[in-house]
Amino acid sequence: MSFNIDLLKRVCEAPGAPGFEQRIREVVLAEIKDLVDEVELDNMGNVYAIKRGKSDKRVMVGAHMDEIGFIVTHIDDNGFIRFHTLGGFDPKTLTAQRVIIHGKEDVMGVMASKPIHVMTAEERTKVSKITDYFIDTGLPKEEVEQLIKVGDPITRERGLIEMGNCVNCKSLDNRLAVFILIETLKYLKDKEIPYDFYGVFTVQEEVGIRGANVAAMRINPDFGFGLDTTIAYDLPGAQAHEKITSLGEGTAIKIMDSSTICDYRMVEFMKKTANNHSIKWQPEILTGGGTDTAGIQRMTEGGSIAGAVSIPTRHLHQVIEMAHKEDITNSIELLSKCIQEIDTHDWSF
């Protein structure tokens, strides 16, 4: 399977803070319009790519489009911008970063804080807080206010690069899943599938799985798959039992995270499918953090039989997220085969 690095770059670099997914949604819509039988949007902005199967049972896959970001809360008398986070941030990762404020036009800014040269000895030993940071655009207040207003979204600025067999960028969480779902739809385009397939590009996952909840209630799926990144803590100092996943060891089959215990029948089916097709995989138990899988599993009448394909990723929620190309390819292959063969498994208790 060839690796479409140009598509991944476009998907990762398109802005889309939670609740402001317009531009990444445009990329998705352009890519999927000729791949499926129907494309729908709901009031929240979720995108439904629907491929009809031989039976009207329903399979839902959720891949969230949004990325962690910020929102403008105040512009001071000198034109400096205060903000609130949209999603989870470790404050120290904001140091020395560029951001883009999406106002009347895109405006570049830098995350700034008190210089170390003028800090007291006590201040130098304190852990940074989000409130220690502000955004400097280099513009006076009058020009800032012509372009930017309270409520405008902000995303991080960092382009995608290749590093050995890996890719590195901001927002691989969860643009990797957007990429994988698009590539899965391409693979399945001319193939028969047993059940109606709803590939859903969801919104507002980073602030509480909001889009997936709405989409699952609308679809009421019989089967569901979350599609998201997971922690690869295969780094210096990590103990073997802490790693969760490792880069290059294959796609990850979720067993549980903090919001979902995957259906054991789905876990069994996914493992069997991977083994039958010689797809490299590793188990995932994520002790902190959740994904759209929770909404897909719960927000339906009677619940769905749910699991998840997870993509091992280092340095999550930073601008230097890193994933292995083979793990990404394995994820496409596993998801595609699961959709094709989901009717072959014994789903009884």
Side-chain angles (χ1 to χ4, degrees):
M1 181 180 289
S2 61
F3 195 95
N4 191 342
I5 193 72
D6 292 333
L7 174 60
L8 181 59
K9 181 177 176 67
R10 283 191 287 115
V11 165
C12 287
E13 294 179 5
F20 301 90
E21 295 92 352
Q22 299 94 307
R23 282 159 71 174
I24 179 60
R25 183 163 47 242
E26 289 173 6
V27 174
V28 168
L29 289 169
E31 289 294 324
I32 67 170
K33 59 184 174 63
D34 298 322
L35 301 179
V36 293
D37 298 311
E38 301 158 50
V39 176
E40 298 177 357
L41 278 74
D42 65 20
N43 290 336
M44 283 193 71
N46 293 309
V47 176
Y48 300 76
I50 306 167
K51 179 177 173 61
R52 296 299 176 187
K54 292 183 287 186
S55 161
D56 61 1
K57 282 191 174 182
R58 295 172 297 279
V59 181
M60 174 180 171
V61 174
H64 72 86
M65 295 183 288
D66 58 307
E67 60 183 311
I68 56 172
F70 315 92
I71 191 166
V72 175
T73 59
H74 180 72
I75 301 169
D76 74 14
D77 290 341
N78 295 307
F80 296 114
I81 294 169
R82 295 289 181 171
F83 58 88
H84 182 67
T85 54
L86 297 174
F89 281 90
D90 178 352
K92 70 175 180 290
T93 66
L94 303 187
T95 300
Q97 299 297 338
R98 291 188 181 121
V99 295
I100 305 171
I101 305 105
H102 305 286
K104 288 183 179 178
E105 59 186 61
D106 285 350
V107 178
M108 190 72 73
V110 294
M111 283 286 179
S113 59
K114 189 173 183 178
I116 193 170
H117 309 75
V118 294
M119 287 182 180
T120 65
E122 182 183 5
E123 286 173 331
R124 292 185 189 191
T125 63
K126 286 185 176 179
V127 176
S128 297
K129 305 186 296 295
I130 292 287
T131 51
D132 292 334
Y133 293 87
F134 54 89
I135 296 170
D136 182 359
T137 65
L139 299 173
K141 180 180 181 181
E142 295 74 22
E143 291 186 44
V144 171
E145 291 185 328
Q146 288 176 9
L147 300 171
I148 297 166
K149 64 182 183 304
V150 170
D152 284 341
I154 305 163
T155 58
R156 300 161 302 157
E157 185 274 332
R158 187 64 64 97
L160 184 138
I161 60 171
E162 297 178 74
M163 301 175 67
N165 289 321
C166 296
V167 291
N168 189 282
C169 193
K170 60 93 179 173
S171 306
L172 293 185
D173 176 14
N174 190 33
R175 301 300 171 70
L176 282 177
V178 170
F179 171 77
I180 288 165
L181 184 49
I182 292 171
E183 292 293 280
T184 298
L185 292 170
K186 288 179 183 177
Y187 172 81
L188 294 174
K189 179 182 178 183
D190 298 318
K191 296 177 173 62
E192 279 195 345
I193 55 173
Y195 303 144
D196 287 350
F197 174 41
Y198 292 77
V200 187
F201 300 87
T202 65
V203 298
Q204 298 192 41
E205 188 271 353
E206 294 290 1
V207 289
I209 314 178
R210 299 174 187 180
N213 287 344
V214 168
M217 287 190 288
R218 176 175 178 170
I219 297 166
N220 198 28
D222 299 281
F223 303 93
F225 296 87
L227 184 56
D228 208 331
T229 55
T230 189
I231 292 171
Y233 184 38
D234 54 344
L235 304 174
Q239 300 298 309
H241 67 278
E242 297 176 308
K243 291 185 178 181
I244 302 176
T245 64
S246 299
L247 256 59
E249 293 301 314
T251 186
I253 296 174
K254 186 183 293 292
I255 297 170
M256 66 166 284
D257 58 34
S258 63
S259 62
T260 311
I261 298 175
C262 293
D263 193 298
Y264 69 88
R265 296 167 293 175
M266 181 61 81
V267 173
E268 179 184 294
F269 166 64
M270 294 175 71
K271 290 179 179 179
K272 181 182 73 173
T273 303
N275 291 334
N276 286 346
H277 294 281
S278 301
I279 298 168
K280 194 173 184 181
W281 67 275
Q282 55 189 310
E284 177 216 5
I285 293 180
L286 181 62
T287 52
T291 68
D292 278 348
T293 316
I296 296 168
Q297 183 182 54
R298 292 187 229 158
M299 302 302 288
T300 70
E301 184 179 344
S304 72
I305 299 173
V309 176
S310 299
I311 310 100
T313 307
R314 288 180 187 154
H315 322 306
L316 276 174
H317 283 208
Q318 301 185 49
V319 293
I320 52 166
E321 294 176 340
M322 183 182 293
H324 198 287
K325 292 179 187 176
E326 290 181 7
D327 296 341
I328 300 168
T329 300
N330 290 151
S331 300
I332 298 166
E333 292 174 349
L334 179 58
L335 181 60
S336 300
K337 294 302 181 184
C338 284
I339 300 303
Q340 287 181 287
E341 300 176 9
I342 198 162
D343 62 331
T344 64
H345 191 65
D346 178 4
W347 296 104
S348 60
F349 281 110

